Each structure stands twice: as C-alpha cells, then as structure tokens.
C-alpha cells in the first residue's frame, strides 16, 4: 500500500463489468457478449453514415463541446414528455457521462463530508455502493426476498429510523431491478412515497424502454425524487456513454454544480441527438427482443436444475436449484465453460444474469448452458 493512499482503499473493490469472468483466460472477439445488458444490435448503417457526415462536416474537433447540453436536453424533454404525458423542460434534466457520473454527482451533492449515508436493497446494481465507498460514504444494506426479490420494507424502514451519524440521505432503487429483473411493486412504491422530504429517492430506470414502467409522472409532486435513464441499452449507444437525470429544477441545479465541465464529448452529444431524432427506428427492435426474452425464459425453465425468474428488462436471472456448499464453485465452473465456448454472462449474487441477445445468440446460450450443466452439475450432486 502506497503511503499517500487512503487506508481504506484496500477494502474497496473496483467495479468490473467486463469480461464476465475474473480469470486470466482471453476473451475471444467473436464471443456472444451477454454480460452487460447492451443491445445485441448495432446502430443502423444509415445512422452511422449520418454521424460520420456530422463528424466530417459539422464538428470542430479543436473546440470544446456544448457545456450546457441545451439541444440534447430539449430533445430528451420531448422524448420524456411523449412517453409519459409529463411537462418536463430542460431545467428538469441533467446529462452525464453515462448514468454513472450522475450517480457519483448525487452522492457528492448529498452525503460527502459525513453529511449522510445511502440505503440499497441487495442484490442490486453494485455501482451505488462502490461509488459511495470510494467517497467515504456509509452504505446501509437491506435484503430482498429470495422468492420474488421484493425489498424487505420492514428492515428498510427500521434502517431509516435507526441510522444516525450520519443519517440516510439517499435511497437507491432500480425499476426494474438489476440483476433480478423485477419491477417495483405497489407496496414498494407506496413506501418510497412515504419517505420524508429530507431523503432523496433515486429511481434508476435504465431499462424503461423494455419495461415501460416509469415513475417520471411522480416528479411533479415530489421534490425529493430523481429518475435516472440511459442511452446505453435500448438506444444502442453504450460506446458513447450518455445518461440523464430528470427531477426538480433545484436538484438538477445542484447536480449541474458538481458535474465536470465539458463532461460529454461533442460526438457523444451528436449521437444522442441523432438517436432521439430516429427513436422510432431504434426502438422498433424492442418487441422482437421481448419475444426473444420470453422464449429464452420459457426454454430455460424447462431445465429442472434451474430456478428462473420472469423479467421486465432485457436480461434474465437464474439460479441453480441445488442446495450445496459447492453451489458457487459449480456456478464458477459453468460460467468458465460458457466463456470458453464463446458466451459471456454475469455471475452475480449466487446466480447468472444473461442478457437477451439475437435469436442466434440465444440459441447458442441454451445449447452451451445445457452442455455446461451436463458436465458440472452431476459433480455437485455427488458432493452434497
């Protein structure tokens, strides 16, 4: 440990979304990359050509990007209003280098300096806790039901009441949740509504376009709510790193104070604007992806060794039904064999999260998973 580094850095793990495994084996460029919930479909050729023309003819590489994101905010507001019948304007929107930057800005604006702690319900998106820890912010965790992954609301309420020095200032939820795919229930939403105004409720809707479940309509009456969205999933712009927050102007103004200047490259701004202009084309693949998700879910449930949950997102979460001390070992072996055979999935929270891919990728996933189960599952059963 270098003497000038913080003493707690050894206890903090970095967020590692790629390559779906922690081993040193190389990942083939031809692998089916079903571990990060990206779209399996690239931008259409005509949109790539339009962006290429934009770069050649309109973008001045020697000039800084639009620091205020005014055009992009206007386009986002139009999209949000069209999808949810709201009255959002640019003053309600902050744009970030992916939702990750906005999450970090939220933590800085609310909790840094021993001002507050955060509440999460595990399993969930790990970035909330990791970013909080890097900023020295305490993380309070409650569990989800192992049956349907609903939050333990009694434990959450107790944590809100009992946590002091510092108190809970932010509650993070994902709607639908990652890695488990379940949308917020009526009871969970009612509990979020009951929270006092001195707690910020962050609803991460990264998978809104797949679920069509949104709480943006709540924002007009709730000054302590913030909704996060991204262009990395349904809009197929993961390489461009564009996310946004929607909320009360006062919250947005605070985030704008904290975000880095020129935080989005000009080309990323241009890509997001083009994506919104052509959103009908880009989002037209969602019904097909949902059909593939349902087919994949159905086929996976036919295997008696797997517990598979319904998903409101573009991924599926499953666990092994075996109850054995070797379960994690077997999952590691299955994950490694999938990777060796060319399919990357996410081994997380004692299960596997599989992104819905193209029909061909999904069929290969089924075939390779069946082969891995046939090879490794009997060994586990012998060790029970």
């Amino acid at each position: 440990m270098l003497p000038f580094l913080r003493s707690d850095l050894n206890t903090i793990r970095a967020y590692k979304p790629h390559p779906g495994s922690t081993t040193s084996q190389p990942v083939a460029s031809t692998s089916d990359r079903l571990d990060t919930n990206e779209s399996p479909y690239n931008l259409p050729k005509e949109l790539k050509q339009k962006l290429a023309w934009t770069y050649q003819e309109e973008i001045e590489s020697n000039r800084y990007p639009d620091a205020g994101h005014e055009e992009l905010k206007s386009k986002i507001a139009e999209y949000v209003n069209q999808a949810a019948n709201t009255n959002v304007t640019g003053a309600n929107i902050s744009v970030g280098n992916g939702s990750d930057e906005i999450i970090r800005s939220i933590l800085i604006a609310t909790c840094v300096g021993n001002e507050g702690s955060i509440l999460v319900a595990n399993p969930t998106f790990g970035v909330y806790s990791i970013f909080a820890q890097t900023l020295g912010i305490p993380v309070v965790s409650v569990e989800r039901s192992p049956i349907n992954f609903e939050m333990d609301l009694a434990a959450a309420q107790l944590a809100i009441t009992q946590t002091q020095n510092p108190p809970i200032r932010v509650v993070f939820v994902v709607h639908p949740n990652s890695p488990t795919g379940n949308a917020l229930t009526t009871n969970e939403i009612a509990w979020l509504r009951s929270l006092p105004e001195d707690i910020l409720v962050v609803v991460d809707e990264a998978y809104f376009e797949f679920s069509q479940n949104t709480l943006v309509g709540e924002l007009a009456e709730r000054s302590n709510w913030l909704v996060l969205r991204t262009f990395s999933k349904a809009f197929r712009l993961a390489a461009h790193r564009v996310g946004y927050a929607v909320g009360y102007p006062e919250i947005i103004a605070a985030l704008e104070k904290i975000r880095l200047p020129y935080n989005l490259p000009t080309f990323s701004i241009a890509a997001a604007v083009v994506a919104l202009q052509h959103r009908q084309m880009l989002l037209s693949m969602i019904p097909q992806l949902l059909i593939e998700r349902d087919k994949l879910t159905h086929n996976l449930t036919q295997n008696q060794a797997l517990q598979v949950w319904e998903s409101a997102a573009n991924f599926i979460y499953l666990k092994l039904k075996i109850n054995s001390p070797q379960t994690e070992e077997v999952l590691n072996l299955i994950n490694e064999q999938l990777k060796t055979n060319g399919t990357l999935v996410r081994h997380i929270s004692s299960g596997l999260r599989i992104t819905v891919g193209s029909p061909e990728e999904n069929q290969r996933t089924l075939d390779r998973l069946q082969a891995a189960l046939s090879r490794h599952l009997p060994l586990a059963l012998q060790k029970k």
Side-chain angles (χ1 to χ4, degrees):
M1 187 74 175
L2 296 172
F4 46 79
L5 295 180
R6 281 168 38 191
S7 59
D8 64 341
L9 280 185
N10 276 337
T11 65
I12 299 173
R13 61 182 180 88
Y15 182 72
K16 295 181 179 179
H18 282 294
S21 171
T22 57
T23 68
S24 58
Q25 295 182 11
V27 177
S29 60
T30 55
S31 293
D32 295 338
R33 293 156 61 179
L34 308 180
D35 58 333
T36 51
N37 300 342
E38 302 148 324
S39 171
Y41 302 110
N42 206 335
L43 281 182
K45 185 176 180 180
E46 56 265 44
L47 294 193
K48 284 197 168 188
Q49 289 174 337
K50 183 171 184 176
L51 285 172
W53 180 88
T54 299
Y55 188 82
Q56 290 178 330
E57 303 297 331
E58 293 188 349
I59 290 178
E60 297 177 284
S61 294
N62 58 314
R63 303 298 181 189
Y64 285 113
D66 171 15
H69 313 128
E70 298 305 325
E71 180 186 10
L72 178 53
K73 287 181 179 181
S74 175
K75 296 293 184 184
I76 291 172
E78 177 187 323
Y79 169 63
V80 171
N81 291 333
Q82 183 185 56
N85 193 28
T86 51
N87 192 28
V88 167
T89 71
N92 299 105
I93 295 167
S94 183
V95 183
N97 194 288
S99 297
D100 293 345
E101 183 193 10
I102 300 174
I103 292 166
R104 195 168 187 272
S105 293
I106 290 167
L107 293 169
I108 294 172
T110 56
C111 297
V112 160
N114 205 40
E115 290 280 339
S117 56
I118 71 167
L119 177 69
V120 296
N122 288 320
T124 195
F125 186 36
V127 155
Y128 311 130
S129 295
I130 292 171
F131 282 10
Q133 290 167 349
T134 64
L135 294 168
I137 296 169
V139 178
V140 179
S141 300
V142 298
E143 298 301 314
R144 293 177 178 270
S145 164
I147 299 172
N148 56 18
F149 300 114
E150 291 181 16
M151 296 171 58
D152 185 337
L153 295 180
Q157 186 59 46
L158 187 64
I160 294 286
T161 302
Q162 293 187 344
T163 304
Q164 300 297 327
N165 301 319
I168 291 172
R169 282 283 178 261
V170 187
V171 173
F172 285 98
V173 292
V174 195
H175 184 46
N177 187 49
S178 177
T180 54
N182 55 305
L184 288 168
T185 65
T186 300
N187 287 340
E188 289 169 330
I189 294 171
W191 179 75
L192 293 173
R193 288 174 179 149
S194 75
L195 293 176
E197 291 186 356
D198 60 355
I199 294 177
L200 176 64
V201 175
V202 179
V203 182
D204 193 335
E205 295 185 351
Y207 304 98
F208 158 70
E209 284 78 13
F210 303 100
S211 72
Q212 290 299 304
N213 291 316
T214 181
L215 293 176
V216 163
E218 301 270 344
L219 298 179
E221 299 179 0
R222 304 191 185 281
S223 61
N224 63 320
W225 282 37
L226 194 68
V227 169
L228 305 184
R229 297 240 185 109
T230 182
F231 286 85
S232 294
K233 311 299 182 183
F235 279 100
R236 317 187 203 177
L237 293 183
H240 294 271
R241 306 299 298 126
V242 185
Y244 61 96
V246 188
Y248 250 59
E250 290 82 356
I251 303 177
I252 298 302
L255 297 180
E256 291 291 285
K257 290 179 182 179
I258 290 167
R259 73 170 174 84
L260 295 174
Y262 309 114
N263 59 327
L264 276 186
T266 300
F267 194 62
S268 292
I269 296 172
V273 169
V274 166
L276 288 168
Q277 290 171 338
H278 297 272
R279 57 183 176 269
Q280 288 186 331
M281 176 195 301
L282 294 178
L283 301 181
S284 66
M285 289 303 299
I286 289 179
Q288 180 61 39
L289 281 172
L290 297 184
I291 290 172
E292 286 298 314
R293 179 194 67 193
D294 294 343
K295 286 171 54 180
L296 187 57
T297 300
H298 172 76
N299 289 327
L300 288 168
T301 57
Q302 302 310 299
N303 192 311
Q304 296 301 309
L306 301 176
Q307 174 70 52
V308 186
W309 283 269
E310 296 290 331
S311 172
N314 67 328
F315 55 84
I316 296 167
Y317 186 66
L318 59 85
K319 289 189 174 186
L320 299 178
K321 286 185 177 179
I322 62 171
N323 183 16
S324 166
Q326 284 76 39
T327 300
E328 286 298 318
E329 176 189 347
V330 174
L331 278 172
N332 275 326
L333 291 171
I334 291 171
N335 190 37
E336 286 304 307
Q337 183 169 333
L338 287 172
K339 177 184 172 184
T340 299
N341 292 341
T343 294
L344 301 182
V345 301
R346 191 75 185 268
H347 178 192
I348 183 172
S349 300
S350 300
L352 297 178
R353 190 193 67 191
I354 304 173
T355 305
V356 178
S358 67
E360 297 78 15
E361 289 174 326
N362 296 334
Q363 186 57 56
R364 288 194 290 267
T365 296
L366 288 169
D367 295 341
R368 291 165 179 171
L369 181 58
Q370 180 57 54
L373 288 168
S374 298
R375 178 178 179 182
H376 298 294
L377 199 56
L379 176 64
L381 293 175
Q382 292 171 16
K383 292 183 178 180
K384 280 184 65 175

